Amino acid sequence: MAVVEVRDLRKHFDGGEVHAIDGVDLTAADREYLVLLGPSGCGKTTLLRTIAGLEEPTSGDVLIDNEVVTGLPPRARKIAMVFQSYALYPHKTVLANIVFPLRAAGMPTEQRVRKAHWAADLLGITPLLNRKPRQLSGGERQRVALARALVREPHVFLLDEPLSNLDAKLRTSARDELKSFQAEIGVTTIYVTHDQVEAMGLGDRIAVLADGKVRQIGPPVEIYDDPADTFVATFIGSPPMNLVPRDGHLVGFRPEHLLPVEIVRDDDRVTMPLAVDRVEYLSGDRHLYGTVTRIGEDTRVVVRLPSTVETPIVVGETHEFAVHGSRLRFFDKESGLRGEPVRLGT
Ligand code: ATP
């Protein structure tokens, strides 16, 4: 359907004071679900709007199917966008809302009604076609907005936090729907979110952004297991990766990889005492908070033990813990960038 590419893209605001996008290169492959993830203000929305043609870049290019579209208006780009605040026309029915863009484009009535039914069926909102937006739940409204974007048969879907108005439960089901729906229609999708759980669940690949730059791009498992720097390591994962300073390096390990020593039965392990000062139970997992010593500077860490690990551990106790050698990640303390493994020898 479409490959979307941006080349050395920059967007400055306020006379060059704000570098909202600061030299971004990325490609969304045909039919790919690419998620742009990053904290508030990192430039996600600006990047999406520039791809859509709603913002003109300061420099660099946007290409769709190898054609430079940088100077073209949004309607010439075969793109459909759904924003966080998807405004539906309140006095029109769901059906009238969905067909609106087709009507504006001059499509004959019969054809546009057929298309609206096709999109409504795909999104499971056929029984709602005669209702008005105020008679719908947030999730239903959002599906209407998607249907309205879909009937235009875009080559590219650009979605900007479209689930942010939904409550947690609805968000999860809407996320499932979005994913299966995208797989079904196979349209290249670029999806903006600051929610890492959403990003991990939806993306074929995730581009992690900070300060207008892409810090890392890759499949969710790669971003999680092999973060390129300490920003990615701590932005992804909840609780985030633990980082222990040692001789100009930071030794990183995920909370679920620090386990009571008796469980890590392998010579390739690094052991450390953990003085536990707090224990929390969260959805079946046990979170231990405390300070590790010996492997580097004394550092506060978090441990996440699944319910299958039944080792009794109480507050105030110091217990020996270990990380398997293959789970350790090393970063340069100054730059934060991923570095070569260091021999710890404990
Ligand atoms: P959020 O998750 O909060 O929506 P974001 O990652 O989408 O954030 P952007 O909206 O792209 O971030 O903004 C990136 C930076 O550019 C921010 O510092 C923002 O203040 C700035 N910015 C965005 N639009 C404008 C504008 N029209 N004029 C000046 N500065 C702007």
Side-chain angles (χ1 to χ4, degrees):
M1 277 198 157
V3 177
V4 181
E5 191 180 345
V6 305
R7 288 190 189 155
D8 197 18
L9 202 70
R10 285 165 208 276
K11 177 67 185 176
H12 300 168
F13 291 111
D14 295 344
E17 288 269 306
V18 179
H19 292 196
I21 311 175
D22 201 12
V24 167
D25 289 277
L26 58 81
T27 305
D30 187 25
R31 295 164 179 259
E32 184 176 28
Y33 209 124
L34 179 68
V35 175
L36 306 180
L37 173 71
S40 181
C42 71
K44 309 178 290 292
T45 297
T46 306
L47 180 53
L48 205 70
R49 287 174 57 82
T50 312
I51 293 171
L54 299 170
E55 295 280 0
E56 203 180 314
T58 306
S59 65
D61 277 313
V62 178
L63 293 88
I64 297 179
D65 282 337
N66 285 322
E67 264 185 54
V68 176
V69 297
T70 318
L72 297 182
R75 73 189 121 75
R77 300 186 183 199
K78 276 286 196 181
I79 270 174
M81 266 190 102
V82 177
F83 295 96
Q84 181 176 343
S85 50
Y86 33 87
L88 300 176
Y89 298 102
H91 303 296
K92 292 186 194 293
T93 61
V94 167
L95 178 64
N97 265 285
I98 296 174
V99 297
F100 187 79
L102 303 179
R103 212 178 140 141
M107 186 184 277
T109 312
E110 194 204 331
Q111 204 179 334
R112 60 183 193 239
V113 169
R114 203 170 345 112
K115 266 196 136 168
H117 277 276
W118 163 76
D121 188 39
L122 201 62
L123 287 154
I125 51 172
T126 306
L128 311 175
L129 285 174
N130 292 321
R131 291 209 201 158
K132 299 275 174 63
R134 72 183 142 74
Q135 297 168 308
L136 305 176
S137 73
E140 290 164 347
R141 261 181 241 155
Q142 144 143 58
R143 274 178 269 168
V144 176
L146 281 170
R148 187 172 59 182
L150 186 63
V151 289
R152 293 171 49 207
E153 293 192 23
H155 291 182
V156 181
F157 244 146
L158 302 180
L159 307 176
D160 190 354
E161 308 235 13
L163 307 184
S164 57
N165 294 340
L166 310 184
D167 66 43
K169 197 166 165 216
L170 210 52
R171 254 177 110 110
T172 311
S173 60
R175 199 160 69 213
D176 288 349
E177 280 169 18
L178 259 186
K179 180 83 181 172
S180 51
F181 154 74
Q182 195 263 355
E184 198 168 326
I185 60 166
V187 62
T188 309
T189 302
I190 305 182
Y191 185 101
V192 161
T193 183
H194 64 271
D195 180 339
Q196 46 141 336
V197 177
E198 208 159 281
M200 296 289 286
L202 282 172
D204 292 323
R205 284 188 307 155
I206 300 174
V208 183
L209 274 83
D211 301 329
K213 291 188 168 68
V214 175
R215 292 295 187 99
Q216 186 171 5
I217 180 161
V221 63
E222 193 177 299
I223 300 271
Y224 189 81
D225 282 344
D226 282 311
D229 60 24
T230 50
F231 175 82
V232 177
T234 51
F235 189 72
I236 304 275
S238 177
M241 183 178 271
N242 295 303
L243 296 171
V244 177
R246 170 182 171 126
D247 304 335
H249 305 285
L250 293 166
V251 183
F253 46 87
R254 294 265 171 216
E256 64 274 24
H257 295 147
L258 185 61
L259 292 161
V261 72
E262 54 275 21
I263 292 173
V264 191
R265 293 167 200 270
D266 197 305
D267 290 341
D268 181 18
R269 69 180 183 188
V270 171
T271 63
M272 64 197 89
L274 169 71
V276 179
D277 56 44
R278 190 151 64 95
V279 179
E280 274 177 7
Y281 289 88
L282 282 174
S283 349
D285 290 344
R286 227 182 338 162
H287 288 204
L288 312 179
Y289 297 81
T291 302
V292 287
T293 50
R294 197 196 304 140
I295 67 152
E297 293 173 26
D298 295 0
T299 308
R300 282 194 66 74
V301 298
V302 187
V303 178
R304 193 168 83 207
L305 297 180
S307 55
T308 44
V309 176
E310 291 173 345
T311 316
I313 291 164
V314 293
V315 170
E317 177 187 350
T318 297
H319 195 98
E320 196 70 6
F321 274 71
V323 183
H324 194 275
S326 65
R327 300 299 194 180
L328 294 168
R329 302 289 177 262
F330 298 89
F331 303 91
D332 182 80
K333 199 172 168 184
E334 286 299 311
S335 66
L337 294 175
R338 187 76 180 273
E340 290 302 309
V342 176
R343 217 173 135 64
L344 296 179
T346 52

